[in-house]
Amino acid sequence: MAWEFLTVYWREMIRFVRFRTQLLSSLLQPALWMAFFGVAMSSNFSRFTSTVPVPAGAVPVDYLTFMAAGGVIAMTTLFTSLFGGISLLFDKNWGG
């Protein structure tokens, strides 16, 4: 079982390095997400939550800090696994 996994892993890594656009887009996607959606959503959340008091003992965190910590990691993991699974399905269906 281990050598099958390593074979698929090695093949995907070779494909990933050869397609420079895929490599570049996977590195830029979280930054673009934060630049476009993070800034717009941050101003909306600040406006909506300005009247809500912070509970005692809680540290107030702005939206960009929250998204940078968890959102980018979750988005990168989700989309990387999704695209990897799709390439495996294409290989299985069309024998690539």
Side-chain angles (χ1 to χ4, degrees), residues 33-44:
W33 177 266
M34 291 299 293
F36 292 122
F37 293 110
V39 173
M41 295 294 281
S42 178
S43 64
N44 287 334

Side-chain angles (χ1 to χ4, degrees), residues 20-88:
R20 300 288 181 193
T21 56
Q22 184 179 6
L23 179 63
L24 184 64
S25 68
S26 67
L27 294 174
L28 287 178
Q29 186 178 15
L32 290 174
W33 177 266
M34 291 299 293
F36 292 122
F37 293 110
V39 173
M41 295 294 281
S42 178
S43 64
N44 287 334
F45 276 110
S46 297
R47 185 177 46 159
F48 291 139
T49 60
S50 62
T51 59
V52 178
V54 178
V59 178
V61 177
D62 65 333
Y63 184 74
L64 281 177
T65 304
F66 171 74
M67 282 299 293
V72 172
I73 294 170
M75 185 188 71
T76 303
T77 304
L78 173 72
F79 286 117
T80 303
S81 62
L82 178 74
F83 294 141
I86 288 173
S87 72
L88 286 176

